[in-house]
């Protein structure tokens, strides 16, 4: 599968209209039944959360960078920052909450395709490839999706949350190929508990990424004070500072 995903694919010209099998396959993947809808719809923000204005502003100011990395251990608020950012950004967000089943490249591609299609149609031929029984289905679908992304002109953010669950080489190659297919105006956001699967060193060298790490996501004294206040706890300033440092 690894070779199939990275090998160039020569595709015939696509017919103008979708076929009945393609539409049926699209329904099978959850567009009509909702089987995958939860993966591409982030949970709404809970009331009483501390707003991370300084972090959201950094992300808003980096819209011209093709990749944003949010990397920190569990419970640092990565998803919360992503949600707060998406509410402030004028661009549409295509969202995928990854899980262990996405180590299957076909399933991963299906979720990403559905998320993108919910923002702007990506082309029925991608879904046709994903539901076909041909042995190179994932490779063909990836090539078609990359071609669709290369044609997009409107700004778009694709957010992949929980990237750390992708442990197979094939699934990580899917993410890399999608990043490489992104054109101007498109931004890929990766939230993970560990370093992203993309070549971070190369991105840094070319100044092509904005990064939020654990030290950035750690609360400041004012944010910690607000969190305690929302929880009904009032502490002296020195105590808040000690707590924030710890």
């Amino acid at each position: 599968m690894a070779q199939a995903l990275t090998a160039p694919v020569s595709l015939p010209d696509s017919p103008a209209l979708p076929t009945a099998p393609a539409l049926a396959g699209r329904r099978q993947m959850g567009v009509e039944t909702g089987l995958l809808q939860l993966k591409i719809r982030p949970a709404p923000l809970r009331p009483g959360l501390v707003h991370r204005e300084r972090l959201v502003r950094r992300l808003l100011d980096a819209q011209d960078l093709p990749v944003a990395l949010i990397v920190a251990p569990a419970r640092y608020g990565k998803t919360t920052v992503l949600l707060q950012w998406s509410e402030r950004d004028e661009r549409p967000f295509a969202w995928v909450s990854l899980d262990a089943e996405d180590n299957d490249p076909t399933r991963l591609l299906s979720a990403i395709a559905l998320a993108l299609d919910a923002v702007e149609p990506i082309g029925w031929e991608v879904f046709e490839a994903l539901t076909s029984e041909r042995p190179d289905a994932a490779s063909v679908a990836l090539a078609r999706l990359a071609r669709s992304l290369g044609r997009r002109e409107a700004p778009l953010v694709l957010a992949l949350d929980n990237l750390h669950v992708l442990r197979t080489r094939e699934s990580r190659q899917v993410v890399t190929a999608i990043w490489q297919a992104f054109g101007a105006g498109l931004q890929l956001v990766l939230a993970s508990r560990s370093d992203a699967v993309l070549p971070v060193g190369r991105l840094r060298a070319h100044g092509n990424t904005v990064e939020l790490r654990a030290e950035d996501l750690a609360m400041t004294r004012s944010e910690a004070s607000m969190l305690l206040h929302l929880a009904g706890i009032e502490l002296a300033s020195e105590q808040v500072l000690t707590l924030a440092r710890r």
Side-chain angles (χ1 to χ4, degrees):
M1 177 65 74
Q3 292 180 346
L5 285 172
T6 55
V9 179
S10 177
L11 300 174
D13 291 337
S14 300
L17 296 174
T19 62
L23 295 176
R26 193 168 181 270
R27 285 194 294 270
Q28 280 183 346
M29 287 190 295
V31 175
E32 303 295 338
T33 64
L35 292 176
L36 293 180
Q37 291 299 315
L38 291 178
K39 290 175 61 65
I40 64 172
R41 290 182 180 175
L45 285 169
R46 302 190 309 274
L49 292 174
V50 174
H51 189 70
R52 314 303 299 277
E53 174 63 26
R54 62 186 175 87
L55 302 178
V56 171
R57 175 51 53 189
R58 281 182 59 182
L59 295 167
L60 287 171
D61 290 343
Q63 293 185 8
D64 58 333
L65 298 177
V67 179
L69 304 177
I70 304 178
V71 183
R75 314 307 298 176
Y76 265 73
K78 298 182 293 296
T79 302
T80 297
V81 171
L82 263 177
L83 287 169
Q84 292 179 352
W85 173 22
S86 68
E87 289 189 345
R88 292 275 302 280
D89 203 309
E90 295 181 353
R91 299 171 298 174
F93 273 60
W95 185 289
V96 181
S97 297
L98 301 170
D99 56 43
E101 293 184 356
D102 292 312
N103 281 288
D104 175 356
T106 301
R107 180 176 174 85
L108 174 60
L109 277 166
S110 299
I112 293 174
L114 289 173
L116 292 168
D117 191 70
V119 174
E120 179 185 333
I122 62 171
W124 65 269
E125 64 274 7
V126 176
F127 297 101
E128 183 183 52
L130 285 168
T131 55
S132 72
E133 296 183 357
R134 54 190 297 174
D136 60 345
S139 177
V140 173
L142 181 57
R144 292 178 177 179
L145 179 58
R147 188 166 58 195
S148 175
L149 288 171
R151 292 195 300 261
R152 283 179 180 257
E153 296 181 358
L156 170 72
V157 179
L158 172 60
L160 303 182
D161 198 11
N162 298 321
L163 191 74
H164 54 273
V165 303
L166 300 185
R167 301 185 180 279
T168 64
R169 179 183 178 187
E170 294 83 358
S171 63
R172 294 183 175 188
Q173 286 176 334
V174 167
V175 177
T176 301
I178 288 175
W179 160 59
Q180 292 173 335
F182 264 33
L186 304 182
Q187 189 174 40
L188 178 63
V189 183
L190 306 174
S192 177
R193 295 181 184 177
S194 59
D195 275 336
V197 302
L198 297 180
V200 177
R202 189 171 68 185
L203 289 169
R204 287 174 177 165
H206 290 83
N208 288 332
T209 181
V210 57
E211 298 183 48
L212 297 182
R213 298 278 173 170
E215 57 269 24
D216 303 302
L217 290 162
M219 286 192 170
T220 64
R221 179 169 60 178
S222 61
E223 290 170 336
S225 180
M226 178 57 67
L227 177 65
L228 293 169
H229 175 74
L230 292 172
I233 302 172
E234 300 296 337
L235 296 179
S237 178
E238 294 79 7
Q239 293 174 309
V240 174
L241 179 58
T242 299
L243 183 61
R245 286 173 174 170
R246 289 180 179 176

